[in-house]
Amino acid sequence: MAAQIPKIKLNNGVEVPIIGTGSYADPTPEDQARVKDWILTALKNGYRHIDTAVLYGTEKVVGEAIKASGIPREEIFVTAKLPPNHFERVRESFETSLANLGTGYVDLYMMHLPQAIVYEEGTFFPQNPDGTVKTTDSVTFNDAWAEMEKLLDTGKVRAIGVSNFSVKNLEKLFTTAKVAPAMNQVEHVFPSLHPYLAQNGLREYCAKKGIAMTAYTPSGYSIVRSDPLIVSLADKYKVTPTQVIFAWHLSRGTVIVPKSENNERQKENINIPTLSEEDIDKIWALDRGERLCGKVDAKTGQLYGWTLEQFGWENYHPKLQV
């Protein structure tokens, strides 16, 4: 029998399964062709939350998998994202994504990145002669958010959110926002949420504002999975190190969207142990403000056209008290 995944309620009352599956695939025909099969396997194993994006190139196959599963549409939570080069064409971009998915509506529509990137056919990240990504100040995330707010009135979007937003940029967003983001997803190419970088300042801010958080690729990479404490807890609870890390995330109320093409690993990822409070505190103590990814380009000092200062990424160590 497939596992039953608990849900959390977003700030507008919409419920989202706390564990979902990512759908990223390398942009090769072979990798893209496999997505439908392992998304179908995930749905069979009990997943009811699928995270996709224009940048992943998997919207169509995700939609095909949902249709082929035979599971009623209303039982599956679908997250889609506005790419950073579509800030000046939000409605058009959304309608294209919805057509690709063929799901009738999207449960959560997110802004994938805070920076506005110049739109050029054939590439998501056009480059300047010096190799930096072409960004523009002619439109801002505040402008794009205002257009996303309008999508709520269409009945085709149940909730809107952001991705890779720091406290600094959330503060800027709130200077004009009429609707608070329902979710802030922190992805693998940025300072991710994992035991070595708990991001508690960001979590505390989001908690105060009623913004749920999602961790993408939440296991923290092999360096975290091989930490002696994580390994010892996995042995204690007779689970994998990844399951221990996921249990820590869920203890924080963080939504996780791990991606696995492997049937057995998919099952493991939704069968999470309940750790003792003492063991959770031990994992909290691993936080050392270490970025395992999201490092700037050594030559340009930028990441996708922005400096880390523009992103507003800082390390936060104090444990959030809730």
Side-chain angles (χ1 to χ4, degrees), residues 50-186:
I50 305 174
D51 182 283
T52 187
V54 174
L55 295 183
Y56 305 161
T58 58
E59 290 175 328
K60 285 187 177 180
V61 288
V62 164
E64 290 170 2
I66 292 172
K67 184 176 181 180
S69 73
I71 298 169
R73 166 66 185 92
E74 62 271 17
E75 293 183 14
I76 301 174
F77 190 98
V78 178
T79 296
K81 303 186 185 78
L82 174 75
N85 62 335
H86 287 187
F87 279 18
E88 294 181 300
R89 50 199 304 220
V90 174
R91 182 64 177 266
E92 178 184 350
S93 184
F94 169 75
E95 293 291 353
T96 299
S97 290
L98 188 58
N100 286 337
L101 286 162
T103 52
Y105 63 94
V106 167
D107 296 277
L108 176 63
Y109 192 56
M110 309 184 81
M111 189 182 302
H112 208 150
L113 290 166
Q115 69 269 44
I117 292 175
V118 172
Y119 178 79
E120 289 186 8
E121 288 285 349
T123 179
F124 290 115
F125 300 102
Q127 294 186 351
N128 295 302
D130 63 359
T132 56
V133 173
K134 292 182 180 179
T135 58
T136 177
D137 295 326
S138 65
V139 61
T140 68
F141 56 70
N142 297 78
D143 301 319
W145 185 255
E147 293 303 307
M148 289 175 64
E149 289 177 333
K150 295 176 183 177
L151 294 176
L152 292 170
D153 297 329
T154 68
K156 298 177 182 180
V157 180
R158 300 178 68 209
I160 55 176
V162 295
S163 182
N164 302 308
F165 268 61
S166 63
V167 171
K168 174 182 177 179
N169 287 326
L170 285 169
E171 285 278 80
K172 290 182 179 178
L173 183 66
F174 275 113
T175 62
T176 59
K178 297 177 181 178
V179 177
M183 183 76 74
N184 183 18
Q185 181 179 116
V186 182

Side-chain angles (χ1 to χ4, degrees), residues 27-63:
T28 64
E30 296 78 18
D31 287 320
Q32 292 283 322
R34 291 201 303 268
V35 175
K36 180 179 176 180
D37 289 338
W38 55 261
I39 291 293
L40 270 170
T41 301
L43 290 169
K44 181 179 179 180
N45 285 330
Y47 288 81
R48 295 295 183 268
H49 175 185
I50 305 174
D51 182 283
T52 187
V54 174
L55 295 183
Y56 305 161
T58 58
E59 290 175 328
K60 285 187 177 180
V61 288
V62 164

Side-chain angles (χ1 to χ4, degrees), residues 286-297:
L286 293 177
D287 181 25
R288 58 198 194 193
E290 181 176 349
R291 289 189 173 98
L292 301 181
C293 54
K295 299 181 186 299
V296 298
D297 183 277

